[in-house]
PDB file of all heavy atoms in Angstrom:
ATOM      1  N   TYR A 139     -11.883  69.450 -32.834  1.00 98.00           N
ATOM      2  CA  TYR A 139     -12.741  69.143 -31.691  1.00 98.00           C
ATOM      3  C   TYR A 139     -11.984  68.066 -30.830  1.00 98.00           C
ATOM      4  O   TYR A 139     -11.916  66.908 -31.192  1.00 98.00           O
ATOM      5  CB  TYR A 139     -14.069  68.574 -32.175  1.00 98.00           C
ATOM      6  CG  TYR A 139     -15.155  68.445 -31.095  1.00 98.00           C
ATOM      7  CD1 TYR A 139     -16.224  69.303 -31.096  1.00 98.00           C
ATOM      8  CD2 TYR A 139     -15.145  67.468 -30.107  1.00 98.00           C
ATOM      9  CE1 TYR A 139     -17.239  69.236 -30.153  1.00 98.00           C
ATOM     10  CE2 TYR A 139     -16.137  67.346 -29.171  1.00 98.00           C
ATOM     11  CZ  TYR A 139     -17.184  68.275 -29.202  1.00 98.00           C
ATOM     12  OH  TYR A 139     -18.208  68.155 -28.234  1.00 98.00           O
ATOM     13  N   ALA A 140     -11.373  68.486 -29.750  1.00 98.00           N
ATOM     14  CA  ALA A 140     -10.434  67.649 -28.996  1.00 98.00           C
ATOM     15  C   ALA A 140     -11.098  67.097 -27.765  1.00 98.00           C
ATOM     16  O   ALA A 140     -11.598  67.889 -26.909  1.00 98.00           O
ATOM     17  CB  ALA A 140      -9.218  68.441 -28.587  1.00 98.00           C
ATOM     18  N   ARG A 141     -11.169  65.757 -27.629  1.00 98.00           N
ATOM     19  CA  ARG A 141     -11.842  65.087 -26.577  1.00 98.00           C
ATOM     20  C   ARG A 141     -10.861  64.317 -25.690  1.00 98.00           C
ATOM     21  O   ARG A 141      -9.986  63.651 -26.181  1.00 98.00           O
ATOM     22  CB  ARG A 141     -12.887  64.134 -27.128  1.00 98.00           C
ATOM     23  CG  ARG A 141     -13.644  64.659 -28.339  1.00 98.00           C
ATOM     24  CD  ARG A 141     -14.884  63.888 -28.628  1.00 98.00           C
ATOM     25  NE  ARG A 141     -16.000  64.227 -27.706  1.00 98.00           N
ATOM     26  CZ  ARG A 141     -17.241  63.810 -27.849  1.00 98.00           C
ATOM     27  NH1 ARG A 141     -17.573  63.005 -28.882  1.00 98.00           N
ATOM     28  NH2 ARG A 141     -18.156  64.175 -27.024  1.00 98.00           N
ATOM     29  N   MET A 142     -11.046  64.499 -24.382  1.00 98.00           N
ATOM     30  CA  MET A 142     -10.179  63.797 -23.404  1.00 98.00           C
ATOM     31  C   MET A 142     -11.014  62.991 -22.453  1.00 98.00           C
ATOM     32  O   MET A 142     -11.879  63.505 -21.745  1.00 98.00           O
ATOM     33  CB  MET A 142      -9.382  64.855 -22.621  1.00 98.00           C
ATOM     34  CG  MET A 142      -8.401  64.314 -21.623  1.00 98.00           C
ATOM     35  SD  MET A 142      -6.808  63.840 -22.345  1.00 98.00           S
ATOM     36  CE  MET A 142      -6.969  62.098 -22.452  1.00 98.00           C
ATOM     37  N   THR A 143     -10.767  61.658 -22.422  1.00 98.00           N
ATOM     38  CA  THR A 143     -11.540  60.803 -21.483  1.00 98.00           C
ATOM     39  C   THR A 143     -10.531  59.827 -20.891  1.00 98.00           C
ATOM     40  O   THR A 143      -9.350  59.794 -21.257  1.00 98.00           O
ATOM     41  CB  THR A 143     -12.596  59.991 -22.251  1.00 98.00           C
ATOM     42  OG1 THR A 143     -11.999  59.180 -23.272  1.00 98.00           O
ATOM     43  CG2 THR A 143     -13.673  60.847 -22.807  1.00 98.00           C
ATOM     44  N   GLY A 144     -11.086  59.070 -19.923  1.00 97.00           N
ATOM     45  CA  GLY A 144     -10.220  58.061 -19.299  1.00 97.00           C
ATOM     46  C   GLY A 144     -10.054  56.790 -20.169  1.00 97.00           C
ATOM     47  O   GLY A 144      -8.916  56.298 -20.298  1.00 97.00           O
ATOM     48  N   TYR A 145     -11.119  56.306 -20.743  1.00 98.00           N
ATOM     49  CA  TYR A 145     -11.083  55.053 -21.504  1.00 98.00           C
ATOM     50  C   TYR A 145     -11.382  55.175 -22.953  1.00 98.00           C
ATOM     51  O   TYR A 145     -11.309  54.162 -23.639  1.00 98.00           O
ATOM     52  CB  TYR A 145     -12.071  54.080 -20.848  1.00 98.00           C
ATOM     53  CG  TYR A 145     -11.853  53.846 -19.315  1.00 98.00           C
ATOM     54  CD1 TYR A 145     -12.688  54.296 -18.391  1.00 98.00           C
ATOM     55  CD2 TYR A 145     -10.673  53.077 -18.928  1.00 98.00           C
ATOM     56  CE1 TYR A 145     -12.481  54.082 -17.020  1.00 98.00           C
ATOM     57  CE2 TYR A 145     -10.509  52.846 -17.586  1.00 98.00           C
ATOM     58  CZ  TYR A 145     -11.354  53.387 -16.636  1.00 98.00           C
ATOM     59  OH  TYR A 145     -11.158  53.134 -15.290  1.00 98.00           O
ATOM     60  N   GLY A 146     -11.634  56.370 -23.480  1.00 97.00           N
ATOM     61  CA  GLY A 146     -11.909  56.543 -24.893  1.00 97.00           C
ATOM     62  C   GLY A 146     -13.378  56.631 -25.174  1.00 97.00           C
ATOM     63  O   GLY A 146     -14.231  56.470 -24.299  1.00 97.00           O
ATOM     64  N   GLN A 147     -13.672  57.011 -26.396  1.00 96.00           N
ATOM     65  CA  GLN A 147     -15.077  57.238 -26.847  1.00 96.00           C
ATOM     66  C   GLN A 147     -15.824  55.989 -27.164  1.00 96.00           C
ATOM     67  O   GLN A 147     -16.979  56.039 -27.458  1.00 96.00           O
ATOM     68  CB  GLN A 147     -15.082  58.202 -28.040  1.00 96.00           C
ATOM     69  CG  GLN A 147     -14.496  59.577 -27.779  1.00 96.00           C
ATOM     70  CD  GLN A 147     -15.354  60.429 -26.803  1.00 96.00           C
ATOM     71  OE1 GLN A 147     -16.591  60.319 -26.864  1.00 96.00           O
ATOM     72  NE2 GLN A 147     -14.760  61.193 -26.018  1.00 96.00           N
ATOM     73  N   SER A 148     -15.147  54.838 -27.173  1.00 96.00           N
ATOM     74  CA  SER A 148     -15.827  53.588 -27.452  1.00 96.00           C
ATOM     75  C   SER A 148     -15.226  52.464 -26.580  1.00 96.00           C
ATOM     76  O   SER A 148     -14.280  52.725 -25.844  1.00 96.00           O
ATOM     77  CB  SER A 148     -15.628  53.224 -28.970  1.00 96.00           C
ATOM     78  OG  SER A 148     -14.264  53.071 -29.253  1.00 96.00           O
ATOM     79  N   GLY A 149     -15.789  51.286 -26.684  1.00 96.00           N
ATOM     80  CA  GLY A 149     -15.281  50.170 -25.920  1.00 96.00           C
ATOM     81  C   GLY A 149     -16.167  49.894 -24.685  1.00 96.00           C
ATOM     82  O   GLY A 149     -16.956  50.738 -24.261  1.00 96.00           O
ATOM     83  N   PRO A 150     -15.996  48.701 -24.106  1.00 97.00           N
ATOM     84  CA  PRO A 150     -16.868  48.290 -22.995  1.00 97.00           C
ATOM     85  C   PRO A 150     -16.724  49.141 -21.754  1.00 97.00           C
ATOM     86  O   PRO A 150     -17.644  49.165 -20.900  1.00 97.00           O
ATOM     87  CB  PRO A 150     -16.476  46.845 -22.715  1.00 97.00           C
ATOM     88  CG  PRO A 150     -15.080  46.677 -23.328  1.00 97.00           C
ATOM     89  CD  PRO A 150     -15.093  47.621 -24.514  1.00 97.00           C
ATOM     90  N   MET A 151     -15.622  49.881 -21.580  1.00 97.00           N
ATOM     91  CA  MET A 151     -15.430  50.704 -20.384  1.00 97.00           C
ATOM     92  C   MET A 151     -15.602  52.200 -20.672  1.00 97.00           C
ATOM     93  O   MET A 151     -15.257  53.034 -19.782  1.00 97.00           O
ATOM     94  CB  MET A 151     -14.058  50.497 -19.781  1.00 97.00           C
ATOM     95  CG  MET A 151     -13.839  49.066 -19.216  1.00 97.00           C
ATOM     96  SD  MET A 151     -12.277  48.898 -18.273  1.00 97.00           S
ATOM     97  CE  MET A 151     -12.625  49.955 -16.840  1.00 97.00           C
ATOM     98  N   ARG A 152     -16.121  52.565 -21.820  1.00 96.00           N
ATOM     99  CA  ARG A 152     -16.198  53.994 -22.207  1.00 96.00           C
ATOM    100  C   ARG A 152     -16.971  54.812 -21.169  1.00 96.00           C
ATOM    101  O   ARG A 152     -16.656  55.976 -20.923  1.00 96.00           O
ATOM    102  CB  ARG A 152     -16.819  54.167 -23.564  1.00 96.00           C
ATOM    103  CG  ARG A 152     -18.157  53.552 -23.739  1.00 96.00           C
ATOM    104  CD  ARG A 152     -18.926  54.163 -24.948  1.00 96.00           C
ATOM    105  NE  ARG A 152     -19.666  55.338 -24.521  1.00 96.00           N
ATOM    106  CZ  ARG A 152     -20.260  56.131 -25.371  1.00 96.00           C
ATOM    107  NH1 ARG A 152     -20.128  55.977 -26.726  1.00 96.00           N
ATOM    108  NH2 ARG A 152     -20.971  57.163 -24.916  1.00 96.00           N
ATOM    109  N   ASP A 153     -17.980  54.189 -20.532  1.00 96.00           N
ATOM    110  CA  ASP A 153     -18.824  54.949 -19.556  1.00 96.00           C
ATOM    111  C   ASP A 153     -18.403  54.787 -18.130  1.00 96.00           C
ATOM    112  O   ASP A 153     -19.024  55.357 -17.222  1.00 96.00           O
ATOM    113  CB  ASP A 153     -20.287  54.534 -19.747  1.00 96.00           C
ATOM    114  CG  ASP A 153     -20.835  54.874 -21.122  1.00 96.00           C
ATOM    115  OD1 ASP A 153     -20.520  55.988 -21.644  1.00 96.00           O
ATOM    116  OD2 ASP A 153     -21.559  54.070 -21.698  1.00 96.00           O
ATOM    117  N   ALA A 154     -17.329  54.035 -17.866  1.00 96.00           N
ATOM    118  CA  ALA A 154     -16.919  53.743 -16.534  1.00 96.00           C
ATOM    119  C   ALA A 154     -16.325  54.975 -15.861  1.00 96.00           C
ATOM    120  O   ALA A 154     -15.628  55.750 -16.508  1.00 96.00           O
ATOM    121  CB  ALA A 154     -15.918  52.592 -16.482  1.00 96.00           C
ATOM    122  N   ALA A 155     -16.558  55.162 -14.553  1.00 96.00           N
ATOM    123  CA  ALA A 155     -15.922  56.216 -13.806  1.00 96.00           C
ATOM    124  C   ALA A 155     -14.504  55.859 -13.528  1.00 96.00           C
ATOM    125  O   ALA A 155     -14.108  54.663 -13.411  1.00 96.00           O
ATOM    126  CB  ALA A 155     -16.742  56.476 -12.491  1.00 96.00           C
ATOM    127  N   GLY A 156     -13.631  56.859 -13.224  1.00 96.00           N
ATOM    128  CA  GLY A 156     -12.245  56.585 -12.929  1.00 96.00           C
ATOM    129  C   GLY A 156     -11.501  57.826 -12.740  1.00 96.00           C
ATOM    130  O   GLY A 156     -11.950  58.979 -13.021  1.00 96.00           O
ATOM    131  N   HIS A 157     -10.282  57.661 -12.225  1.00 97.00           N
ATOM    132  CA  HIS A 157      -9.310  58.734 -12.127  1.00 97.00           C
ATOM    133  C   HIS A 157      -7.973  58.210 -12.582  1.00 97.00           C
ATOM    134  O   HIS A 157      -7.832  57.029 -12.919  1.00 97.00           O
ATOM    135  CB  HIS A 157      -9.235  59.266 -10.682  1.00 97.00           C
ATOM    136  CG  HIS A 157     -10.373  60.143 -10.324  1.00 97.00           C
ATOM    137  ND1 HIS A 157     -10.606  61.391 -10.872  1.00 97.00           N
ATOM    138  CD2 HIS A 157     -11.415  59.965  -9.387  1.00 97.00           C
ATOM    139  CE1 HIS A 157     -11.667  61.913 -10.375  1.00 97.00           C
ATOM    140  NE2 HIS A 157     -12.192  61.094  -9.445  1.00 97.00           N
ATOM    141  N   ASP A 158      -6.929  59.078 -12.497  1.00 97.00           N
ATOM    142  CA  ASP A 158      -5.612  58.703 -13.010  1.00 97.00           C
ATOM    143  C   ASP A 158      -5.171  57.333 -12.622  1.00 97.00           C
ATOM    144  O   ASP A 158      -4.719  56.525 -13.442  1.00 97.00           O
ATOM    145  CB  ASP A 158      -4.603  59.774 -12.475  1.00 97.00           C
ATOM    146  CG  ASP A 158      -3.199  59.552 -12.911  1.00 97.00           C
ATOM    147  OD1 ASP A 158      -2.572  58.577 -12.454  1.00 97.00           O
ATOM    148  OD2 ASP A 158      -2.683  60.354 -13.684  1.00 97.00           O
ATOM    149  N   LEU A 159      -5.313  57.027 -11.340  1.00 97.00           N
ATOM    150  CA  LEU A 159      -4.855  55.748 -10.807  1.00 97.00           C
ATOM    151  C   LEU A 159      -5.519  54.536 -11.516  1.00 97.00           C
ATOM    152  O   LEU A 159      -4.867  53.519 -11.745  1.00 97.00           O
ATOM    153  CB  LEU A 159      -4.984  55.713  -9.291  1.00 97.00           C
ATOM    154  CG  LEU A 159      -4.117  54.718  -8.541  1.00 97.00           C
ATOM    155  CD1 LEU A 159      -2.660  55.058  -8.679  1.00 97.00           C
ATOM    156  CD2 LEU A 159      -4.470  54.663  -7.036  1.00 97.00           C
ATOM    157  N   ASN A 160      -6.807  54.702 -11.735  1.00 98.00           N
ATOM    158  CA  ASN A 160      -7.521  53.639 -12.406  1.00 98.00           C
ATOM    159  C   ASN A 160      -7.036  53.455 -13.837  1.00 98.00           C
ATOM    160  O   ASN A 160      -6.822  52.319 -14.365  1.00 98.00           O
ATOM    161  CB  ASN A 160      -9.027  53.923 -12.446  1.00 98.00           C
ATOM    162  CG  ASN A 160      -9.596  54.190 -11.076  1.00 98.00           C
ATOM    163  OD1 ASN A 160     -10.004  55.273 -10.828  1.00 98.00           O
ATOM    164  ND2 ASN A 160      -9.605  53.167 -10.218  1.00 98.00           N
ATOM    165  N   TYR A 161      -6.835  54.543 -14.523  1.00 98.00           N
ATOM    166  CA  TYR A 161      -6.421  54.478 -15.914  1.00 98.00           C
ATOM    167  C   TYR A 161      -5.012  53.819 -16.088  1.00 98.00           C
ATOM    168  O   TYR A 161      -4.832  52.960 -16.944  1.00 98.00           O
ATOM    169  CB  TYR A 161      -6.403  55.888 -16.528  1.00 98.00           C
ATOM    170  CG  TYR A 161      -7.698  56.653 -16.344  1.00 98.00           C
ATOM    171  CD1 TYR A 161      -7.663  57.994 -16.031  1.00 98.00           C
ATOM    172  CD2 TYR A 161      -8.936  56.031 -16.416  1.00 98.00           C
ATOM    173  CE1 TYR A 161      -8.846  58.696 -15.824  1.00 98.00           C
ATOM    174  CE2 TYR A 161     -10.079  56.692 -16.210  1.00 98.00           C
ATOM    175  CZ  TYR A 161     -10.087  58.075 -15.888  1.00 98.00           C
ATOM    176  OH  TYR A 161     -11.222  58.744 -15.659  1.00 98.00           O
ATOM    177  N   ILE A 162      -4.112  54.258 -15.214  1.00 98.00           N
ATOM    178  CA  ILE A 162      -2.755  53.675 -15.395  1.00 98.00           C
ATOM    179  C   ILE A 162      -2.680  52.229 -14.861  1.00 98.00           C
ATOM    180  O   ILE A 162      -1.735  51.496 -15.146  1.00 98.00           O
ATOM    181  CB  ILE A 162      -1.682  54.555 -14.748  1.00 98.00           C
ATOM    182  CG1 ILE A 162      -1.711  54.614 -13.246  1.00 98.00           C
ATOM    183  CG2 ILE A 162      -1.743  55.969 -15.285  1.00 98.00           C
ATOM    184  CD1 ILE A 162      -0.544  55.327 -12.598  1.00 98.00           C
TER     185      ILE A 162
END
């Protein structure tokens, strides 16, 4: 079961919106 997110499945930013530029 492979999951891909911007900030991960846990942590204070897990639910934050974003795109490539925000992540890097």
